[in-house]
Amino acid sequence: MEFEDHYRQPQRPKFDCLLFDLDDTLYPYSSGIAAACTKNIQDYMVEKLGIEESKILELSNLLYKNYGTTMAGLRAVGYEFDYDDYHSFVHGRLPYEKIKPDPVFRSILLSLPIRKLIFTNADKVHAIKALKRLGLEDCFEGIICFETLNQPFSPTENSKEIQNIFDIVGHFARPEPGVELPKTPVLCKPSIEAMEYALKIANINPQRTIFFEDSTRNILAGKQVGLQTVLVGKSHRSQGADYALESLHNIREALPELWAEAEQRRAVQYHSGKVALETSVSA
């Protein structure tokens, strides 16, 4: 019995991955980045796509509501544009100086010996810039971003000339039986297809992963694919949220089991090393 107790393996930790959204999750909405991004998207629609300014607000709201991102919606209804050009315009002129370093959250991340990943709808250049501003660029194993889920796209001059634009505003103002919304070629949250593809690419087991996100609809999608979910920036849980955190600084209070499991991991590592040593000596 003593021999069995000595070599009994500690219980495997419940979670082996933390998956974080980026914008308005790792830094607060109050930074103003989201508002600046919305303004840039609307400017792109006017300046690059030739959409009348008076139609922008209603159109962009409908696209965002029905497709997850305005970009995905624009592609769905027929606009063709270079993805890199779009991201450069929308993110390239953001006031990144408004994103402040977060040494408290950095310390929290570094205290957890567990796999950590970013999952954002944004492009990689933006993600890296934001993480550097936060001082967290070396805290994550990798970034699942727009380029992870989508192939590059750049329209030809001919395709630009023959664009057939679906009138989504008219579709909702005057619904016609049998007419459905067109599908988007862009994969992004909260699409279940995008969520499942991201998990597959990153080799993530949703049952053993906690997903931190500020968007209530992305939280619901995360729950639908099997993730444990934490709604960030709110004090009350939304549908699909297992936890709600006003600040990521409160992770330890909300999820103390992560630190308990960290101790389990250290015990497993110590146990494994001790067994290897004793086996070597015995041999």
Side-chain angles (χ1 to χ4, degrees):
M1 180 63 71
E2 284 187 15
F3 182 84
E4 290 178 359
D5 287 342
H6 184 69
Y7 289 100
R8 181 175 293 140
Q9 292 290 335
Q11 184 179 0
R12 186 176 74 159
K14 182 179 178 182
F15 300 110
D16 62 11
C17 183
L18 304 180
L19 187 63
F20 291 89
D21 173 51
L22 174 62
D23 298 304
D24 303 328
T25 295
L26 296 193
Y27 60 86
Y29 177 83
S30 60
S31 68
I33 294 295
C37 191
T38 297
K39 175 67 165 58
N40 291 345
I41 291 171
Q42 294 175 350
D43 288 347
Y44 184 90
M45 292 168 71
V46 173
E47 297 176 26
K48 298 286 189 174
L49 301 180
I51 301 172
E52 291 181 31
E53 190 169 354
S54 61
K55 298 179 179 179
I56 292 298
L57 185 59
E58 185 177 14
L59 176 58
S60 58
N61 285 340
L62 281 173
L63 295 177
Y64 180 80
K65 178 180 178 181
N66 287 280
Y67 291 100
T69 67
T70 307
M71 179 189 190
L74 287 168
R75 289 288 288 117
V77 300
Y79 288 99
E80 297 199 347
F81 47 89
D82 183 277
Y83 291 165
D84 289 341
D85 179 62
Y86 177 90
H87 286 130
S88 178
F89 189 103
V90 170
H91 293 140
R93 55 183 71 187
L94 288 176
Y96 285 102
E97 68 277 4
K98 291 187 176 182
I99 300 177
K100 305 302 181 183
D102 191 344
V104 173
F105 187 53
R106 175 182 173 83
S107 177
I108 290 172
L109 290 173
L110 294 178
S111 72
L112 287 169
I114 185 173
R115 190 181 188 210
K116 296 174 280 283
L117 295 165
I118 295 292
F119 181 18
T120 175
N121 282 336
D123 61 295
K124 190 173 184 177
V125 170
H126 167 72
I128 291 173
K129 282 183 179 179
L131 288 173
K132 284 184 176 179
R133 287 293 307 173
L134 287 162
L136 305 177
E137 67 272 20
D138 59 344
C139 293
F140 298 92
E141 176 184 307
I143 301 171
I144 304 168
C145 58
F146 180 86
E147 292 91 340
T148 311
L149 305 182
N150 298 276
Q151 294 295 317
F153 177 80
S154 185
T156 64
E157 288 302 318
N158 186 50
S159 66
K160 287 182 181 179
E161 294 174 3
I162 58 173
Q163 290 181 126
N164 183 23
I165 307 302
F166 178 84
D167 181 11
I168 190 171
V169 174
H171 172 79
F172 282 101
R174 300 174 299 280
E176 294 184 21
V179 177
E180 297 182 354
L181 286 176
K183 295 187 181 301
T184 181
V186 173
L187 276 182
C188 63
K189 297 179 288 184
S191 156
I192 296 299
E193 182 184 359
M195 301 287 289
E196 291 178 339
Y197 187 39
L199 298 180
K200 180 180 178 181
I201 287 175
N203 192 29
I204 292 171
N205 178 352
Q207 305 297 331
R208 304 191 66 213
T209 300
I210 304 179
F211 179 44
F212 297 84
E213 168 72 68
D214 71 288
S215 163
T216 55
R217 59 183 179 173
N218 292 349
I219 282 287
L220 184 56
K223 177 51 63 178
Q224 289 173 339
V225 299
L227 294 160
Q228 287 286 305
T229 54
V230 180
L231 179 64
V232 178
K234 305 289 192 302
S235 57
H236 300 288
R237 292 184 296 156
S238 63
Q239 184 180 2
D242 295 302
Y243 305 90
L245 276 179
E246 289 193 79
S247 169
L248 286 173
H249 292 179
N250 303 129
I251 286 182
R252 188 158 197 158
E253 290 78 10
L255 295 163
E257 61 266 36
L258 288 178
W259 277 264
E261 291 185 355
E263 289 302 318
Q264 285 184 14
R265 284 187 180 83
R266 294 186 183 97
V268 169
Q269 292 169 355
Y270 173 78
H271 177 87
S272 300
K274 189 172 182 181
V275 169
L277 177 61
E278 293 183 356
T279 303
S280 175
V281 171
S282 298

